[in-house]
């Protein structure tokens, strides 16, 4: 008759608990049976047991299903640790792994399809879970959070920053306009002052004060001091935009022009997305996580996967890769070449590149298809367009 387990509270029971506390050697762990052995002899006895042999037969029938299941569980647990403890901060991949294996009952990597942590990190980078980069101190990863609530919060913060920037720019333009007006208006006449002198000591001095009319035109300085608050209030109440004419004067846009501009703004808001990949465009790899040989290589998007990932074909070697959009950037062609608008009001339209403004990181394009064919659009950001592969 075999020996039973030690009774609770006995010295043997406490000794066994102390030995089992903490992490044991990975080489003596059986993932199929989820059993940790303390030494080589114990592991050998376990592999010869009937229960272990049954588990091995089950594994042999469908090894791929078990490995995929273990890999999925390991990936989920690792990403949960990364998201909850580190968020979107850049962190060493090994540090996250140490946090993951701190749990005694974690799933071991030797049961997954990845042979090392480096292979696992490269997988995360290729599939868009993280931005991975290799340094002298090892692999570092940054989690890509695509949670709808997080994206909504980021969009809200971006809008707030844009509004604050617009208010500051509007105030600066107003001050500049007032300074310009002050320079162009007539300068006030300078009155001459003379010393008061008596011809005789007995004479009295008389001073005549000539007050102007109440409707006397104010000086430019008075204009500058009184106008800012009124002008800012008028700017908020009146939404009509002024366009400069050839002779330097300004005029208000017509009702039709205002309606067109409102439609343009509405279309820009509706078509502005956080994903921009499209089939047929030329992109450039900007991440070293795939290897140095792919860094700065250009390729053509042949398929878009779930909006944020793409299958690309390298132009030089013809090799195909699956890459997240975080590892790619758009390619600006030469003037006169065809491009595709990837974001904003004209999203999905093909166009011709007309000019490049390197100071503002923007371009001028001419729409080449659809009902808006022939329209010139300026100040289009670099990241909103990309070269079309012809």
């Amino acid at each position: 008759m075999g020996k039973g387990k030690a009774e609770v509270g006995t010295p043997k029971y406490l000794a066994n608990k102390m030995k089992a506390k903490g992490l044991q050697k990975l080489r003596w762990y059986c993932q199929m049976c989820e059993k940790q052995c303390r030494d080589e002899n114990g592991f050998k006895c376990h592999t010869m047991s009937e229960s272990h042999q049954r588990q091995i037969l089950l594994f042999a029938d469908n090894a791929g299903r078990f490995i995929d299941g273990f890999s999925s569980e390991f990936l989920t647990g690792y990403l949960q640790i990364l998201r909850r403890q580190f968020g979107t901060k850049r962190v060493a991949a090994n540090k996250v792994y140490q946090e993951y294996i701190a749990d005694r009952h974690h799933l071991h990597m030797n049961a997954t399809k990845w042979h090392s942590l480096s292979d696992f990190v490269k997988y995360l980078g290729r599939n868009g879970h993280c931005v991975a980069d290799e340094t002298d101190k090892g692999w570092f990863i940054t989690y890509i959070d695509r949670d709808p609530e997080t994206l909504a919060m980021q969009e809200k913060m971006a809008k707030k920053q844009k509004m604050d920037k617009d208010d500051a720019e509007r105030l600066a333009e107003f001050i500049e306009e007032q300074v310009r007006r002050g320079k162009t208006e007539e300068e006030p006449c300078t009155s001459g002052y003379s010393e008061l002198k008596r011809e005789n000591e007995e004479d009295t001095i008389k001073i005549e004060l000539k007050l102007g009319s109440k409707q006397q035109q104010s000086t430019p300085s008075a204009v500058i001091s009184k106008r800012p608050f009124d002008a800012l209030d008028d700017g908020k109440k009146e939404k009509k935009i002024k366009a400069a004419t050839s002779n330097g004067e300004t005029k208000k846009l017509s009702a039709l022009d205002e309606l067109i501009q409102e439609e343009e703004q509405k279309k820009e808001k509706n078509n502005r997305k956080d994903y921009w990949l499209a089939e047929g465009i030329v992109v450039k790899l900007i991440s070293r996580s795939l290897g140095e040989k792919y860094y700065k290589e250009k390729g053509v998007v042949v398929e878009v996967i779930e909006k944020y990932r793409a299958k690309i074909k390298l132009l030089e070697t013809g090799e195909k890769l699956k890459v997240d959009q975080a590892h790619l950037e758009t390619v600006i062609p030469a003037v006169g070449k065809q491009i595709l608008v990837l974001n904003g009001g004209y999203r999905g339209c093909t166009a011709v590149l007309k000019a490049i403004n390197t100071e503002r990181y923007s371009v001028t394009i001419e729409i080449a298809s659809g009902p808006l064919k022939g329209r010139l659009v300026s100040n289009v950001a670099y990241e909103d367009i990309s070269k079309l592969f012809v």
Side-chain angles (χ1 to χ4, degrees):
M1 187 173 178
K3 293 182 180 180
K5 291 186 177 180
E7 294 183 6
V8 178
T10 62
K12 184 67 175 177
Y13 175 83
L14 296 176
N16 290 339
K17 282 293 183 183
M18 292 176 65
K19 290 178 182 178
K21 186 179 179 180
L23 297 175
Q24 304 294 320
K25 288 189 176 181
L26 185 58
R27 60 184 293 193
W28 296 329
Y29 182 81
C30 177
Q31 186 64 61
M32 283 299 298
C33 302
E34 297 183 357
K35 180 175 179 60
Q36 176 72 61
C37 300
R38 287 197 293 267
D39 51 32
E40 185 177 1
N41 184 51
F43 185 73
K44 182 179 178 181
C45 292
H46 169 71
T47 56
M48 296 173 64
S49 65
E50 184 179 353
S51 61
H52 178 77
Q53 295 297 328
R54 285 198 302 266
Q55 293 293 330
I56 292 300
L57 291 175
L58 290 175
F59 179 81
D61 290 339
N62 196 345
R65 181 171 64 86
F66 281 99
I67 293 178
D68 290 342
F70 291 150
S71 301
S72 178
E73 185 178 346
F74 179 83
L75 174 65
T76 302
Y78 188 92
L79 290 179
Q80 284 180 351
I81 295 290
L82 177 60
R83 185 179 73 250
R84 292 174 182 174
Q85 295 193 22
F86 303 98
T88 56
K89 296 179 181 178
R90 183 173 178 268
V91 62
N94 189 55
K95 184 177 181 180
V96 183
Y97 181 70
Q98 295 300 323
E99 293 289 338
Y100 174 74
I101 65 175
D103 181 10
R104 261 189 83 211
H105 303 289
H106 71 277
L107 193 140
H108 296 70
M109 183 180 285
N110 64 349
T112 67
K113 60 185 177 181
W114 301 290
H115 299 92
S116 64
L117 183 61
S118 298
D119 293 340
F120 176 66
V121 171
K122 291 177 183 179
Y123 172 84
L124 294 178
R126 286 195 302 268
N127 289 270
H129 297 292
C130 305
V131 176
D133 59 292
E134 187 178 13
T135 65
D136 296 337
K137 297 182 179 180
W139 284 94
F140 283 78
I141 54 177
T142 306
Y143 181 67
I144 301 175
D145 193 350
R146 291 201 177 98
D147 183 66
E149 295 183 359
T150 305
L151 294 176
M153 183 63 69
Q154 292 176 352
E155 184 178 356
K156 186 176 180 180
M157 292 297 296
K159 287 182 179 179
K160 184 178 183 302
Q161 292 177 358
K162 186 177 185 300
M163 289 176 63
D164 294 342
K165 183 179 179 181
D166 291 343
D167 291 341
E169 290 179 352
R170 192 181 300 113
L171 181 60
E173 290 176 358
F174 169 76
I175 295 174
E176 185 179 351
E177 176 67 16
Q178 294 305 314
V179 173
R180 187 186 64 80
R181 287 185 181 182
K183 290 181 179 179
T184 54
E185 289 181 5
E186 230 181 49
E187 295 184 359
C189 297
T190 56
S191 58
Y193 298 96
S194 60
E195 184 181 357
L196 296 176
K197 293 182 180 181
R198 295 179 180 178
E199 293 181 358
N200 298 319
E201 294 183 357
E202 296 180 355
D203 293 343
T204 59
I205 298 176
K206 295 181 180 181
I207 301 176
E208 295 182 1
L209 299 177
K210 296 181 180 181
L211 300 177
S213 61
K214 294 182 180 179
Q215 298 181 353
Q216 183 179 2
Q217 185 178 1
S218 58
T219 61
S221 60
V223 174
I224 295 176
S225 63
K226 294 179 181 179
R227 284 182 59 87
F229 299 102
D230 298 335
L232 287 176
D233 292 339
D234 293 341
K236 293 180 179 178
K237 295 177 182 177
E238 184 178 352
K239 293 184 179 179
K240 296 183 179 180
I241 302 173
K242 296 183 178 181
T245 58
S246 58
N247 57 1
E249 297 179 354
T250 59
K251 66 176 182 179
K252 294 181 179 178
L253 297 177
S254 64
L256 179 61
D257 292 335
E258 289 182 9
L259 184 61
I260 293 175
Q261 191 158 23
E262 288 179 2
E263 288 296 324
E264 291 284 339
Q265 293 175 355
K266 184 178 179 181
K267 187 166 61 173
E268 168 71 21
K269 182 179 179 181
N270 292 337
N271 291 336
R272 177 67 58 178
K273 309 292 183 183
D274 63 334
Y275 53 89
W276 50 268
L277 291 170
E279 295 182 4
I281 62 172
V282 180
V283 292
K284 182 189 292 184
L285 288 161
I286 57 172
S287 175
R288 289 187 169 90
S289 61
L290 300 176
E292 288 294 335
K293 66 176 182 178
Y294 298 121
Y295 184 61
K296 295 295 184 181
E297 288 292 321
K298 295 180 181 179
V300 183
V301 176
V302 295
E303 182 183 355
V304 178
I305 306 171
E306 297 178 351
K307 297 180 182 179
Y308 299 95
R309 296 171 57 204
K311 182 185 291 185
I312 66 172
K313 181 179 180 181
L314 299 183
L315 294 179
E316 290 189 3
T317 62
E319 189 176 352
K320 292 184 178 180
L321 302 172
K322 287 183 181 179
V323 192
D324 188 85
Q325 71 173 18
H327 300 161
L328 301 171
E329 71 175 6
T330 58
V331 174
I332 308 301
V335 174
K337 298 294 184 180
Q338 277 196 335
I339 57 96
L340 180 67
V341 183
L342 305 174
N343 221 337
Y346 299 92
R347 185 187 183 105
C349 295
T350 57
V352 178
L353 185 63
K354 289 296 183 181
I356 302 175
N357 188 341
T358 55
E359 295 180 357
R360 299 174 63 94
Y361 301 101
S362 62
V363 296
T364 300
I365 61 174
E366 180 181 350
I367 306 300
S369 63
L372 302 177
K373 182 178 180 180
R375 174 175 293 185
L376 283 174
V377 184
S378 58
N379 294 328
V380 180
Y382 282 172
E383 58 269 20
D384 287 347
I385 67 163
S386 193
K387 177 182 179 181
L388 270 175
F389 182 72
V390 181

